[in-house]
């Protein structure tokens, strides 16, 4: 459960009745892995846990159990837990405390969750959503408020890890089944924690690709969103391990706040300072297009880069024949907490943790994910094509 996510502002509270990134800023500490803390990558994050890193890297090659065509129901390394004590008759009221709706990934994910709730309307009588707007204090208040609203199950996507842990522990103590997903907390009290393989796997895939594609002595710029979020910290932790191992030249590690304009400015400044940048590593791909545009504006050769499954990046990759890879953190994971809540409330076992597959988009499979019919900020791995309202809901 420990450790292992980020829209145009929607209504803070959305209630659907169905008939029928404040941060936990880490203090850098020496690496627990024995990896070299060189000048390029700095000291290892306090979030780094060697055993978790080893497990996630192993899961990258593992085979999931579950329906082959429904990855949001699959499990890697299943560890079932008994939920009989939560069994109760339906239909149910499910509540969701959401970290934020402040970027396209979270917008697509939430639309997918809403559609899953609609698909389960025979079992869900009410769905209450509260948007914390990226603010820890608000999410703490939100969770406390939801505990007085008669929720049969509580889903939480925490804004940050350490700060939200006490609020989640309070919810657990009330006896309501808590399902955490996307980002984690520092407690094992929730019934399950749902996410794909995780940050270590994501960060490793991108860093390994760049280590292979950037020529010896080439310069790599690492772009991060913000500190203190476990899934983002572990992405960088894994990248650091790989970069140190490969002895690549990381010329800078910068925070972009997930802002395309800031991303573009940072990359432009590094191009002016260093002349060339051969590789761009990113802990999230939402601003990958902005990073590439900085090279285009400067008339520089396009770098090797890792993005994500956001369609604007995939289309640019195909059109410009980028040297690229896209590790993913699939938005189909937003379906799974709803399904988990229903299983728990029916007393059915669920895996804890519930690790979902985390596919990688490569040059070989790129064409199957590029979809010109969907908007540029849509995510290819929404797992939403069978849900009510597709494709209009996501447009």
């Amino acid at each position: 459960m420990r450790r292992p996510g980020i829209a145009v502002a929607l209504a803070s509270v959305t209630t659907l009745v169905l008939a029928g990134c404040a941060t936990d800023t880490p203090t850098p500490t020496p690496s627990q892995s024995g990896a070299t803390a060189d000048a390029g990558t700095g000291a290892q994050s306090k979030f780094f846990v060697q055993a978790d890193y080893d497990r996630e890297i192993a899961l990258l090659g593992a085979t999931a159990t579950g329906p082959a065509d429904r990855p949001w129901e699959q499990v890697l390394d299943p560890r079932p837990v008994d939920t009989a004590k939560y069994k109760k008759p339906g239909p149910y009221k499910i509540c969701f405390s959401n970290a934020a709706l402040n970027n396209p990934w979270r917008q697509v994910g939430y639309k997918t969750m809403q559609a899953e709730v609609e698909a389960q309307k025979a079992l869900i009588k009410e769905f209450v959503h509260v948007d914390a707007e990226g603010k820890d204090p608000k999410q703490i208040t939100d969770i406390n408020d939801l505990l007085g609203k008669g929720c049969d199950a509580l889903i939480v996507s925490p804004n940050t890890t350490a700060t939200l842990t006490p609020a989640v522990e309070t919810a657990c103590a009330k006896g309501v089944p808590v399902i955490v997903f996307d980002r984690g907390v520092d407690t094992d009290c929730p019934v399950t924690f749902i996410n794909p393989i995780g940050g270590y796997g994501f960060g490793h895939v991108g860093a390994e690709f760049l280590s292979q594609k950037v020529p010896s002595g080439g310069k790599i710029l690492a772009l991060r969103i913000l500190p203190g979020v476990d899934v983002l910290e572990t992405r960088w932790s894994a990248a650091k391990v790989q970069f140190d191992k490969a002895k690549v030249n990381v010329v800078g590690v910068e925070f972009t706040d997930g802002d395309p304009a800031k991303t573009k400015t940072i990359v432009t400044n590094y191009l002016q300072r260093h002349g060339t940048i051969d590789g761009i590593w990113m802990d999230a791909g939402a601003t990958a297009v902005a990073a590439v545009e900085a090279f285009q504006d400067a008339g520089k050769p396009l770098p090797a880069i890792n993005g994500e499954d956001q369609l604007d990046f995939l289309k640019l990759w195909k059109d410009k024949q980028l040297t690229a890879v896209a590790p993913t953190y699939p938005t189909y994971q937003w379906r799974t907490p709803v399904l988990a809540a229903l299983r728990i409330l029916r007393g059915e076992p669920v895996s804890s943790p519930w690790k979902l597959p985390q596919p990688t988009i490569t040059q070989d499979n790129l064409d199957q994910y590029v979809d010109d019919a969907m908007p540029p900020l849509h995510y290819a791995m929404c797992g939403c094509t069978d849900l009510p309202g597709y494709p209009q809901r996501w447009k």
Side-chain angles (χ1 to χ4, degrees):
M1 185 75 57
R2 303 179 194 279
R3 314 291 187 216
I6 20 188
V8 177
L10 301 180
S12 292
V13 181
T14 303
T15 303
L16 177 60
V17 180
L18 301 172
C21 289
T23 65
D24 302 321
T25 305
T27 301
T29 57
S31 169
Q32 300 175 34
S33 70
T36 303
D38 61 36
T41 60
Q44 186 57 281
S45 168
K46 74 172 186 179
F47 283 76
F48 185 84
V49 178
Q50 183 72 48
D52 293 345
Y53 169 86
D54 292 340
R55 179 169 181 250
E56 287 192 18
I57 300 307
L59 286 176
L60 288 171
T63 301
T65 63
D69 60 343
R70 299 175 69 81
W72 51 90
E73 294 184 23
Q74 295 178 8
V75 187
L76 291 161
D77 187 22
R79 302 180 184 187
V81 295
D82 180 54
T83 66
K85 69 178 181 179
Y86 298 111
K87 184 177 181 179
K88 62 193 303 185
Y92 307 107
K93 179 177 181 177
I94 296 178
C95 300
F96 175 34
S97 171
N98 190 1
L101 285 169
N102 58 5
N103 76 12
W105 187 90
R106 301 194 73 85
Q107 295 171 24
V108 171
Y110 181 56
K111 290 175 184 178
T112 301
M113 178 181 277
Q114 287 177 302
E116 182 63 53
V117 169
E118 185 177 335
Q120 303 292 339
K121 60 185 178 182
L123 297 172
I124 301 174
K125 64 181 179 182
E126 189 176 0
F127 178 66
V128 179
H129 166 248
V130 187
D131 175 12
E133 301 171 358
K135 303 170 184 175
D136 284 346
K138 184 177 187 307
Q139 189 166 27
I140 292 168
T141 299
D142 291 344
I143 291 173
N144 288 333
D145 288 347
L146 288 172
L147 292 177
K149 293 187 180 297
C151 304
D152 294 309
L154 176 63
I155 299 169
V156 180
S157 177
N159 186 52
T160 59
T161 301
T163 305
L164 267 296
T165 295
V168 170
E169 290 176 327
T170 297
C172 293
K174 295 293 185 181
V176 61
V178 178
I179 300 101
V180 173
F181 87 103
D182 165 32
R183 303 166 173 177
V185 287
D186 288 326
T187 176
D188 293 322
C189 78
V191 180
T192 187
F193 170 48
I194 299 164
N195 74 333
I197 292 172
Y200 294 118
F202 185 106
H204 171 82
V205 167
E208 183 178 55
F209 178 82
L210 292 178
S211 297
Q212 294 168 349
K213 296 298 182 181
V214 171
S216 178
K219 303 167 187 174
I220 292 177
L221 172 61
L223 299 177
R224 303 179 58 190
I225 295 180
L226 74 169
V229 175
D230 59 353
V231 71
L232 301 177
E233 289 285 348
T234 54
R235 289 178 186 185
W236 171 241
S237 294
K240 171 185 163 51
V241 171
Q242 175 60 34
F243 287 148
D244 289 349
K245 178 181 177 182
K247 295 181 170 57
V248 301
N249 181 20
V250 178
V251 296
V253 182
E254 300 286 349
F255 290 102
T256 69
D257 300 326
D259 181 349
K262 185 173 181 179
T263 299
K264 202 168 182 178
T265 297
I266 291 170
V267 174
T268 298
N269 289 341
Y270 270 81
L271 286 171
Q272 291 172 348
R273 187 182 312 162
H274 293 278
T276 59
I277 297 293
D278 303 284
I280 297 288
W281 180 89
M282 310 190 76
D283 70 358
T287 62
V289 169
V292 174
E293 287 174 345
F295 285 82
Q296 292 174 316
D297 292 349
K300 299 290 187 179
L302 301 183
I305 186 171
N306 75 275
E308 212 167 338
D309 57 317
Q310 189 167 290
L311 286 182
D312 61 349
F313 175 71
L314 300 185
K315 293 174 183 177
L316 181 67
W317 175 359
K318 182 176 180 179
D319 291 345
K320 298 300 181 182
Q321 300 182 321
L322 299 178
T323 299
V325 71
T328 67
Y329 201 61
T331 48
Y332 59 59
Q333 69 182 282
W334 289 68
R335 300 183 67 164
T336 313
V338 176
L339 298 173
L342 293 175
R343 291 185 188 183
I344 292 165
L345 292 170
R346 290 177 295 191
E348 300 171 4
V350 296
S351 181
S352 181
W354 187 327
K355 283 289 184 181
L356 299 165
Q358 187 168 302
T360 297
I361 300 175
T362 67
Q363 187 64 49
D364 291 338
N365 62 13
L366 174 62
D367 285 347
Q368 76 182 73
Y369 294 105
V370 175
D371 186 350
D372 292 326
M374 296 302 286
L377 300 186
H378 184 65
Y379 278 77
M381 293 194 187
C382 69
C384 56
T385 58
D386 66 329
L387 286 172
Y390 183 86
Q392 289 77 15
R393 185 192 297 263
W394 288 264
K395 291 185 176 182

